Amino acid sequence: MAETAPKRQKTSKSTPYHLVYWPGLPGRGEHVRLVLEEAGAEYTDTAHTEGGMGEVLSYIQGKQPPVDDVANLPVCAPPILRHGELVINQTPNIVLYIGKREGLVGDAEDEDGMWRVNALVLTALDGLSNEVHDCHHPIATGLYYEDQKEESLRRSADYVKNRLPKFLGYFQRVLEAKASGDGPWLYGGNLTVADLVLFQCLDGVKYMFPKAMAKLQREGKHDRVFALYDAVKERPRIKAYLESKRRQKYGMGIYRYYEELDLEG
Amino acid sequence: MAETAPKRQKTSKSTPYHLVYWPGLPGRGEHVRLVLEEAGAEYTDTAHTEGGMGEVLSYIQGKQPPVDDVANLPVCAPPILRHGELVINQTPNIVLYIGKREGLVGDAEDEDGMWRVNALVLTALDGLSNEVHDCHHPIATGLYYEDQKEESLRRSADYVKNRLPKFLGYFQRVLEAKASGDGPWLYGGNLTVADLVLFQCLDGVKYMFPKAMAKLQREGKHDRVFALYDAVKERPRIKAYLESKRRQKYGMGIYRYYEELDLEG
């Protein structure tokens, strides 16, 4: 047992982060990037490093981490984070890991905060990312959109009519609750990773369903959600990032624009 | 700010857990139950308490936690955990919270273990729970299965052919990796919440797609995954739980049996 038991891997405050994600689109990696940017953390990103695509593939194909790594397990899909000797994947997991280290999961005295923040992150990703992806791939991720267009239209119509208002309504209720604190943020009066994740989700949904989002904004029932979106966008580090070349354009990822799916709801 | 800032809520080692989940079906609450049972933790469960359904509804309707609770936010959906003064939701969040407290996220010396375990939990839930739910509800959760039967058949055929072997293959690779340690478990030679979550996922998929799972087991490529399933089932506390009345039958939840979807793959 002692031979194979994982050892704790030491990382110091200054150990840089390394993000492994498909070059060429924001995708799920974007949640990780926004957290790293807001934290002002030192990081590298396969989106912008030579051989980045090959590196992603080496993880997918199980060449990294090597099968005899005593501490790290194979990863199923990107985004992947390498931090010192630690290799982990899964978007909400990476976001929570970095958020906890960088002071972005609530007040330092509030030991339970990270669990409330994690619940918000998971809910935003469920309702405003995973469900949105399935609006253009309701039948199979392995098929082209063109092979599931009818089903996509049916699913998207339900999404913008029922699911999207449900999730925006939920986050509006959170922002109205006392525990969200003063100011524009979701929890405890401080910016957390949940605000950054929700921002990216809203940005993606605005790209994919601009008519539905414009209508919801006009109706005014989710004013605090749209105010949070604006507040994140104006954070100095986030603003600089969004204007930089590091911010990639939407394309064939989770959030896609298809005119026929751009319904008002 | 001081007035609304959340305070740390003290819970002691002996504070019992309270699970809030729909009575009448295992559902996502089952992952939480298996963790509590394996831990030998003291807990109550709205599945078996008088007025349980009303209590679930009070959370869904936003009556609990009250809007002026200074620490807890509204929750979007069950399962919900109340532990002392803390209220949180989201299955993987609750599982990680309890797992960390109860020593089920890896060796106590291994501070990074919880992040590896959390990645496994999230991957099992993505691929073997959420995707399975969408096999009978590919278009809209708000519609009946009968209103999306054709699409369900198409999605299920893809699932058993492509997705199910992909995820079983992933967990087989994890079990073959050195970092999984000796014995039947996924990480570090110790039983963790990831093993319990994967067990419940496999049990549900066996219920929904018995032909596909029997074929995959016969083929023998995922022998370690099926061995893990058997090993969890034989844990004394899990075995006692599964034989008790606390274990509810599958029905109209995530895992459902429809003969027409029971494909071999």
Side-chain angles (χ1 to χ4, degrees):
Chain A
M1 286 292 282
E3 187 195 329
T4 55
K7 304 284 181 297
R8 187 193 163 195
Q9 309 294 342
K10 297 275 181 201
T11 43
S12 78
K13 187 74 193 160
S14 64
T15 306
Y17 299 94
H18 181 57
L19 172 64
V20 180
Y21 195 72
W22 305 114
L25 75 173
R28 292 190 171 89
E30 199 61 13
H31 298 287
V32 180
R33 291 187 189 103
L34 288 167
V35 173
L36 291 166
E37 293 282 344
E38 174 63 31
E42 197 187 325
Y43 75 102
T44 48
D45 181 344
T46 55
H48 309 296
T49 53
E50 208 180 320
M53 180 63 90
E55 191 175 337
V56 178
L57 290 172
S58 72
Y59 281 93
I60 306 286
Q61 294 161 354
K63 293 176 194 159
Q64 285 191 64
V67 71
D68 61 351
D69 187 311
V70 295
N72 292 298
L73 298 169
V75 293
C76 190
I80 299 152
L81 182 75
R82 201 175 68 213
H83 188 225
E85 297 297 316
L86 177 70
V87 175
I88 52 171
N89 78 317
Q90 275 283 357
T91 309
N93 188 41
I94 297 171
V95 160
L96 191 66
Y97 172 81
I98 302 172
K100 191 158 183 285
R101 289 184 67 89
E102 301 292 339
L104 290 170
V105 293
D107 192 283
E109 302 284 293
D110 174 24
E111 285 187 24
D112 281 340
M114 70 173 273
W115 306 106
R116 300 191 181 101
V117 169
N118 192 34
L120 296 171
V121 166
L122 290 161
T123 302
L125 292 173
D126 277 354
L128 301 167
S129 174
N130 300 338
E131 287 201 18
V132 179
H133 170 271
D134 283 6
C135 285
H136 54 72
H137 276 77
I139 300 298
T141 48
L143 289 176
Y144 290 109
Y145 163 66
E146 286 68 24
D147 296 324
Q148 47 196 318
K149 280 182 79 167
E150 273 181 52
E151 295 92 340
S152 295
L153 185 61
R154 222 182 144 200
R155 177 149 182 154
S156 296
D158 179 79
Y159 184 79
V160 297
K161 186 177 171 212
N162 297 311
R163 303 296 286 173
L164 180 55
K166 176 192 155 85
F167 284 102
L168 296 194
Y170 169 66
F171 285 108
Q172 176 79 12
R173 285 200 290 125
V174 169
L175 290 163
E176 287 168 356
K178 193 156 190 175
S180 75
D182 296 329
W185 313 126
L186 288 162
Y187 177 65
N190 297 306
L191 176 88
T192 69
V193 292
D195 301 297
L196 299 168
V197 168
L198 181 57
F199 164 81
Q200 175 55 24
C201 288
L202 295 168
D203 196 66
V205 177
K206 274 170 176 269
Y207 176 76
M208 181 153 164
F209 297 119
K211 286 185 188 163
M213 285 293 267
K215 187 182 169 207
L216 287 164
Q217 189 158 11
R218 277 198 310 277
E219 288 173 354
K221 285 186 212 162
H222 310 104
D223 57 333
R224 295 197 187 201
V225 174
F226 289 101
L228 176 147
Y229 176 84
D230 292 337
V232 170
K233 211 169 185 171
E234 291 305 318
R235 298 284 292 186
R237 285 171 176 165
I238 297 297
K239 191 173 157 70
Y241 168 68
L242 295 175
E243 289 165 359
S244 77
K245 285 189 180 166
R246 299 194 299 287
R247 173 72 166 187
Q248 297 164 92
K249 288 191 176 18
Y250 293 109
M252 295 303 281
I254 299 164
Y255 302 111
R256 304 182 182 189
Y257 185 74
Y258 293 115
E259 199 178 349
E260 62 274 20
L261 302 184
D262 184 10
L263 307 164
E264 267 220 318
Chain B
M1 284 293 283
E3 189 194 327
T4 55
K7 302 285 181 298
R8 186 190 163 195
Q9 310 292 344
K10 296 276 181 200
T11 44
S12 77
K13 187 75 193 160
S14 64
T15 307
Y17 299 94
H18 180 58
L19 172 64
V20 180
Y21 196 71
W22 305 114
L25 76 173
R28 292 190 172 87
E30 199 62 13
H31 299 286
V32 180
R33 290 187 189 102
L34 288 167
V35 173
L36 291 166
E37 293 282 345
E38 174 62 31
E42 195 187 329
Y43 76 103
T44 47
D45 181 345
T46 54
H48 309 296
T49 53
E50 208 180 321
M53 181 63 89
E55 191 175 338
V56 177
L57 291 172
S58 73
Y59 281 93
I60 306 286
Q61 293 161 354
K63 293 175 194 158
Q64 285 191 66
V67 71
D68 61 351
D69 186 312
V70 295
N72 292 298
L73 297 169
V75 292
C76 191
I80 299 153
L81 182 77
R82 200 174 70 211
H83 188 227
E85 297 296 317
L86 176 71
V87 176
I88 52 171
N89 79 318
Q90 275 283 353
T91 309
N93 189 41
I94 296 171
V95 161
L96 191 66
Y97 173 81
I98 302 172
K100 193 161 181 285
R101 289 184 67 89
E102 302 291 340
L104 290 170
V105 293
D107 191 283
E109 302 284 293
D110 174 22
E111 284 186 25
D112 281 339
M114 69 175 273
W115 305 105
R116 300 192 181 101
V117 169
N118 192 35
L120 295 170
V121 166
L122 289 160
T123 302
L125 292 173
D126 278 354
L128 300 167
S129 173
N130 300 338
E131 287 201 19
V132 179
H133 170 271
D134 283 6
C135 285
H136 55 73
H137 275 76
I139 300 300
T141 47
L143 290 177
Y144 291 110
Y145 164 65
E146 286 69 22
D147 295 324
Q148 46 196 317
K149 280 182 78 165
E150 272 181 51
E151 296 93 340
S152 295
L153 185 61
R154 223 183 141 199
R155 179 153 181 152
S156 296
D158 179 78
Y159 185 80
V160 297
K161 186 177 170 211
N162 297 310
R163 303 296 286 173
L164 180 56
K166 176 192 155 84
F167 284 102
L168 295 194
Y170 170 66
F171 286 108
Q172 175 79 12
R173 286 200 290 126
V174 169
L175 290 163
E176 287 167 356
K178 192 155 190 176
S180 75
D182 297 328
W185 314 125
L186 288 162
Y187 178 64
N190 297 306
L191 175 88
T192 69
V193 293
D195 300 298
L196 299 169
V197 168
L198 181 57
F199 165 80
Q200 175 56 23
C201 288
L202 294 169
D203 196 64
V205 177
K206 273 170 177 270
Y207 176 76
M208 180 151 164
F209 297 119
K211 285 185 190 163
M213 286 292 268
K215 186 182 169 205
L216 287 165
Q217 191 160 9
R218 277 197 310 277
E219 288 173 354
K221 285 186 212 163
H222 310 104
D223 57 332
R224 295 198 186 200
V225 175
F226 289 101
L228 177 148
Y229 176 83
D230 292 337
V232 170
K233 211 168 185 171
E234 290 306 317
R235 297 285 291 186
R237 286 171 175 164
I238 298 296
K239 191 173 158 69
Y241 168 68
L242 294 175
E243 288 166 359
S244 76
K245 284 190 182 167
R246 299 193 300 287
R247 174 72 167 188
Q248 297 164 91
K249 287 190 178 10
Y250 291 109
M252 295 302 282
I254 297 164
Y255 302 112
R256 304 181 182 191
Y257 186 73
Y258 293 114
E259 200 178 348
E260 63 273 23
L261 302 184
D262 183 11
L263 306 163
E264 269 220 317

